[in-house]
Amino acid sequence: MSAGSIGDAPVRPIAILGGTGPAGMGLALRWARAGESVIIGSRDAQRAQLAAVAIEQKAGTPVRVRGMENSAACGAADILMLTVPFEAQASLLKQLRPAMTAGSILIDATVPLAAGVGGRASRTLGVWQGSAAQQAAELVPEEVSVVAAFHNVSAELLFADAALDCDVIVCSDDPDASQLTRELAAKIPGVRAVDGGKLENARIVEQITALLIGMNIRHKGHAGIRITGLPPGAYR
Amino acid sequence: MSAGSIGDAPVRPIAILGGTGPAGMGLALRWARAGESVIIGSRDAQRAQLAAVAIEQKAGTPVRVRGMENSAACGAADILMLTVPFEAQASLLKQLRPAMTAGSILIDATVPLAAGVGGRASRTLGVWQGSAAQQAAELVPEEVSVVAAFHNVSAELLFADAALDCDVIVCSDDPDASQLTRELAAKIPGVRAVDGGKLENARIVEQITALLIGMNIRHKGHAGIRITGLPPGAYR
């Protein structure tokens, strides 16, 4: 059974909004390889279609990937993955809000890096709501659940063939949406998902990315994190 | 050669200030076992001496551990490890300031948990300077270097026999003090030290502790973190 399906229902597509950047391409590749149906969303439909072709070619096996304009992608799916720079997050969510269907899940990977306003990628901006994910929660319709996840996964390592060596911390106020997201994370080889608790904790997970970026700059690496010391049942 | 020594100089003792709590006892045990000379500091000299005896007994082999009143401990060492709750940090540092010798290193493990003011241990307080470590830097004499480290290590696992399974992220504006601290961290079996960059980054490392505490509450574990994806030279 696909994580994107419920019971015997057909596979639910995953729309990756703003999905032509490195993180979106990487997640699309991994999920497509895992048998998920993926829609790449972009401002420009043609650019989205080209990205879909690039993912098909990289995958090496038959996969289900399509490209669409962001609003169309949003309307065609109820699992929505947001992979845009922080400075583009609010305006894109305002634009997409009318296209979101009730009961959708928005998975937000946005990190408020200071680089977005000309500062350093190893520093973050303060977000009034506490985190980029909480800002997202304020901007989507009430019937849409927001989940924060995938902040700390190297985009470069995602858009590649080797298994990863990192965990994904998942924060949400909706336990079902959190679980679905943890199942999607665990479809990426080498990734374990860990429940990070409520959405408000996203503020910490987002910050970790800035710390890892600093390490990457100092050591020319692709830093990720593993959570140790929890019982096996804590990892999915 | 001991990490607490420079060249052929005699071993430099490590004073663990406010060291009778779980984290201080755990670090004292591990460093004593590694051959370091450890001074436990406490408000109450007798309590410190009792803690030293408890560590000797737990160690199982001959170790060098003494107990002293905090100011005396501070004056007898130039490697100072601070393991107190956030709400005790500022007042202790103000008290100890006259006892600190120029050229000392203060390693701060303070986490500004909201629990300190009646809130949750899975949430943090905002600290005006950016982090508890930066607050510490403001309170010590200028000739004392502040290093932030050991926030994310389980106190319970430290005061035990098994090797740990976690990394220690070390932040400081003084590269030599950072390196000495990384060497001390690496003396704990199973621990690798990772350079976390400048002291200002301590704000992120401190927050991680609150996230791990939340995981411990949910899963009854002793969560720690490992940094993956860096070249071998990045770990010490």
Side-chain angles (χ1 to χ4, degrees):
Chain A
M1 191 184 88
S2 162
S5 70
I6 289 182
D8 294 330
V11 170
R12 295 158 72 185
I14 305 165
I16 305 187
L17 307 168
T20 58
M25 294 286 281
L27 288 169
L29 174 69
R30 298 294 184 156
W31 283 331
R33 274 186 180 149
E36 298 294 321
S37 171
V38 176
I39 305 171
I40 297 279
S42 170
R43 242 176 309 181
D44 177 351
Q46 203 185 358
R47 199 171 156 198
Q49 287 152 10
L50 288 172
V53 170
I55 288 161
E56 272 178 353
Q57 289 175 345
K58 177 80 179 165
T61 49
V63 291
R64 286 177 292 181
V65 187
R66 291 170 285 165
M68 292 183 182
E69 184 276 328
N70 275 321
S71 293
C74 195
D78 63 1
I79 301 174
L80 312 174
M81 176 78 227
L82 193 64
T83 56
V84 290
F86 176 65
E87 60 276 21
Q89 188 209 38
S91 58
L92 181 59
L93 286 176
K94 284 175 194 167
Q95 178 208 319
L96 295 179
R97 189 185 154 95
M100 292 181 190
T101 52
S104 290
I105 292 166
L106 178 78
I107 309 170
D108 181 76
T110 309
V111 177
L113 297 178
V117 295
R120 295 189 193 167
S122 57
R123 287 177 171 170
T124 57
L125 300 169
V127 181
W128 189 269
Q129 296 87 344
S131 61
Q134 288 165 289
Q135 173 170 282
E138 208 177 81
L139 292 168
V140 299
E142 231 178 88
E143 313 77 36
V144 173
S145 290
V146 173
V147 181
F150 301 107
H151 309 86
N152 308 325
V153 186
S154 159
E156 201 167 317
L157 298 182
L158 273 177
F159 197 70
D161 301 317
L164 280 86
D165 179 16
C166 67
D167 292 340
V168 166
I169 302 171
V170 179
C171 303
S172 180
D173 297 335
D174 178 340
D176 294 337
S178 175
Q179 195 189 323
L180 178 79
T181 304
R182 294 203 300 277
E183 287 171 11
L184 284 173
K187 295 202 163 215
I188 302 171
V191 169
R192 301 180 308 183
V194 179
D195 183 358
K198 298 236 175 212
L199 194 67
E200 63 177 37
N201 295 341
R203 74 191 68 192
I204 304 177
V205 186
E206 293 173 6
Q207 307 267 333
I208 292 173
T209 301
L211 188 71
L212 298 179
I213 289 173
M215 291 176 184
N216 288 340
I217 293 169
R218 275 190 295 286
H219 298 295
K220 303 191 193 310
H222 298 288
I225 68 164
R226 286 281 193 199
I227 303 294
T228 62
L230 295 179
Y235 304 98
R236 155 133 224 137
Chain B
M1 192 183 85
S2 161
S5 70
I6 289 181
D8 294 329
V11 170
R12 294 158 72 183
I14 306 166
I16 307 188
L17 307 168
T20 58
M25 294 286 281
L27 288 169
L29 174 68
R30 297 296 185 154
W31 283 331
R33 275 187 180 148
E36 299 293 323
S37 171
V38 176
I39 305 170
I40 298 280
S42 170
R43 241 177 309 183
D44 177 350
Q46 202 186 358
R47 198 170 158 199
Q49 286 152 11
L50 288 172
V53 170
I55 288 161
E56 272 179 353
Q57 288 174 345
K58 176 81 179 165
T61 50
V63 292
R64 287 178 290 182
V65 187
R66 289 170 285 164
M68 292 182 183
E69 184 276 328
N70 275 323
S71 292
C74 196
D78 63 359
I79 301 174
L80 313 173
M81 176 79 227
L82 192 64
T83 56
V84 289
F86 176 65
E87 59 276 21
Q89 188 209 36
S91 58
L92 181 59
L93 286 175
K94 282 175 195 167
Q95 179 208 319
L96 295 179
R97 190 185 154 95
M100 292 183 190
T101 51
S104 290
I105 293 167
L106 177 79
I107 309 171
D108 181 78
T110 309
V111 177
L113 297 177
V117 295
R120 295 188 194 167
S122 57
R123 285 178 171 169
T124 57
L125 300 169
V127 180
W128 189 268
Q129 295 86 342
S131 61
Q134 287 165 289
Q135 173 169 283
E138 209 177 80
L139 292 169
V140 300
E142 231 179 85
E143 313 75 36
V144 173
S145 290
V146 174
V147 180
F150 301 107
H151 309 84
N152 307 325
V153 185
S154 159
E156 202 167 318
L157 298 183
L158 273 177
F159 198 69
D161 301 318
L164 281 87
D165 179 15
C166 67
D167 293 338
V168 166
I169 301 171
V170 179
C171 302
S172 180
D173 296 335
D174 178 339
D176 294 337
S178 174
Q179 195 189 324
L180 178 79
T181 305
R182 294 202 300 277
E183 286 170 13
L184 285 173
K187 295 203 162 211
I188 302 170
V191 168
R192 300 180 308 180
V194 179
D195 183 359
K198 299 234 175 215
L199 193 68
E200 63 176 38
N201 295 341
R203 73 192 68 192
I204 303 177
V205 186
E206 292 173 8
Q207 307 266 331
I208 292 172
T209 301
L211 189 70
L212 299 179
I213 289 172
M215 291 175 183
N216 287 341
I217 293 170
R218 277 190 294 285
H219 298 295
K220 303 190 194 309
H222 298 288
I225 67 164
R226 286 281 193 198
I227 303 294
T228 62
L230 296 178
Y235 305 97
R236 154 142 221 130

